[in-house]
Amino acid sequence: MTATIIDGKAVAESIRSEVKAQVAQLRAQGLVPGLSTVLVGDRPDSRSYVTAKRQMCAELGIESFGRELPENVAQDELLAVVRQLSADPKVHGILVQLPLPRHIDEETILNAVSIDKDVDGFHPVNVGKLGMKGRQALFAPCTPSGVVELLDRVGAPIAGSGAVVLGRSNIVGLPVALLLLGRDATVTLCHSKTRNLADVCRQADILVAAIGKPRFVTAGMVKPGAYVIDVGVNSIPVLYPDGSPVISEKTGKQKTRLVGDVDFDAVKQIAAAITPVPGGVGPMTIAMLMKNTLRAAQHAFGLL
C-alpha cells in the first residue's frame, strides 16, 4: 500500500476561493468583513505571520485593521486596545499574535477578546463548548479545524473510527481531540505520561501527531490503512551520507530542512493517507482563519 498524499496547499486554496466568493457576495450587499491583527513588539516570526494574514485579507476582500504596539507596552494599554476592537462594529474578528512579551498575561488579554470575534478560537468559552454535548462553539481553533477539514476532504470516515491524538496542547492537541469526539470518533488523547504509547497508536484508524519531535512516529506505530495527520514542524540539519553537515555557500551556516513528527517516507508505505511536511497542515491555518473571519462577519450581520 502507498498512501494518498494529502495536499494541504490545494485544499487551502480551495477554501480561500470559497471564502473569496462569499465575501464578494457580502460586499455586493454593502457588508464588509473585517479582521484586526494586534502585533506587540517586532519579533521577525510574528511580524511575518501577521503580514501573511494581512495579505490574505487583501486577496480575499476582507478589510484588515492592523494595530502595532511596542514591546514594552503596558498590559492595561494592550487590554484597552483589545476592548476597543471588541466594541468596534467594523471589526468582526480579532487576532492577537502570540507569543506576547513576558510581562503580559496572555490569558487576561485573550479573555478580553469578544467571544463573537474570537476567530482564533482560543477563548475558554469557545474551547469549552467544543467538549459539551449539545453545544456548538462559534469558532474552533484554526489548526485543529484544518486537521478535521483535511480528513473530510480525503474522505476519512470519522464517525465510529478510533482516533489517537499525540499531544495535549491547548492550541492543537486538546481542541483537535474535542473536534473529533464531536464528530463521533472514539478518541484517545496521548501525552508524555501515556504508557505503551506505540501499542496505543497502532490501534488508531486516525492518527494525529502534534508533539514537536522530529520523525517520532515510526511505521511500527501505525496501523495499516490509517489516516495520518502530521501537525509537527521541526527543523533538522541536512547531512551528507557520511553524517557530516552540509554548509550553505551563501551563509556559511549549516543547512536545515523541515520534517514532521512522523517518519513520512516509512509511514506512507502503510497508511491510507498522510500529510507531508511542509505542504500538509501548515497552509490550512491561515485558510481556516479566513473562514472563521467570514463566519464572524456573517454572525454579526445576522446571517447565521
Side-chain angles (χ1 to χ4, degrees):
M1 176 185 295
T2 300
T4 296
I5 308 303
I6 305 173
D7 188 344
K9 291 182 180 179
V11 175
E13 176 59 33
S14 177
I15 291 169
R16 291 194 297 268
S17 296
E18 294 164 6
V19 170
K20 185 175 183 178
Q22 292 180 70
V23 168
Q25 291 176 2
L26 289 177
R27 292 182 73 102
Q29 303 172 56
L31 306 174
V32 182
L35 173 67
S36 178
T37 54
V38 180
L39 176 64
V40 179
D42 200 27
R43 283 175 53 119
D45 55 346
S46 291
R47 179 167 292 281
S48 175
Y49 297 148
V50 166
T51 298
K53 291 162 186 174
R54 291 173 182 170
Q55 289 174 343
M56 188 58 62
C57 284
E59 291 178 20
L60 303 188
I62 295 172
E63 190 168 358
S64 178
F65 304 91
R67 300 296 296 271
E68 298 188 10
L69 300 165
E71 177 84 14
N72 63 351
V73 65
Q75 179 162 306
D76 287 346
E77 184 180 347
L78 176 57
L79 198 57
V81 168
V82 172
R83 287 172 174 164
Q84 181 267 323
L85 293 171
S86 291
D88 189 338
K90 293 185 296 184
V91 174
H92 304 109
I94 300 171
L95 184 145
V96 179
Q97 184 63 46
L98 302 179
L100 294 173
R102 290 184 178 181
H103 69 281
I104 302 291
D105 181 49
E106 287 187 357
E107 183 177 0
T108 297
I109 300 303
L110 295 179
N111 287 354
V113 175
S114 167
I115 191 172
D116 294 328
K117 301 184 180 185
D118 174 38
V119 289
D120 251 343
F122 290 154
H123 194 288
V125 173
N126 273 322
V127 175
K129 284 185 175 181
L130 292 179
M132 298 177 71
K133 192 173 182 179
R135 303 289 183 90
Q136 183 176 9
L138 187 56
F139 308 106
C142 300
T143 300
S145 57
V147 168
V148 176
E149 187 79 24
L150 288 175
L151 288 169
D152 281 337
R153 301 231 176 183
V154 80
I158 297 176
S161 289
V164 171
V165 179
L166 298 180
R168 54 178 170 179
S169 72
N170 291 335
I171 295 175
V172 179
L174 178 60
V176 82
L178 293 174
L179 285 170
L180 291 170
L181 183 63
R183 292 286 300 275
D184 298 319
T186 300
V187 181
T188 302
L189 183 57
C190 298
H191 45 80
S192 60
K193 305 299 182 184
T194 300
R195 296 176 180 172
N196 303 317
L197 182 59
D199 292 337
V200 174
C201 291
R202 275 192 294 269
Q203 303 304 310
D205 302 305
I206 295 170
L207 180 61
V208 180
I211 55 174
K213 293 186 177 182
R215 297 173 176 162
F216 178 85
V217 177
T218 63
M221 297 171 66
V222 177
K223 179 181 181 179
Y227 292 82
V228 180
I229 306 295
D230 190 351
V231 188
V233 180
N234 310 285
S235 180
I236 64 169
V238 177
L239 303 174
Y240 287 110
D242 65 0
S244 60
V246 176
I247 305 300
S248 169
E249 293 182 1
K250 288 185 178 180
T251 66
K253 296 180 180 179
Q254 183 171 0
K255 288 186 176 181
T256 61
R257 64 189 183 95
L258 296 179
V259 299
D261 291 347
V262 176
D263 185 351
F264 179 82
D265 289 337
V267 172
K268 73 178 182 180
Q269 302 300 324
I270 62 172
I274 187 172
T275 55
V277 176
V281 176
M284 296 295 293
T285 300
I286 294 182
M288 299 310 291
L289 173 65
M290 297 298 110
K291 190 172 182 178
N292 276 354
T293 301
L294 171 63
R295 179 174 174 81
Q298 291 170 328
H299 175 71
F301 298 143
L303 301 176
L304 291 181

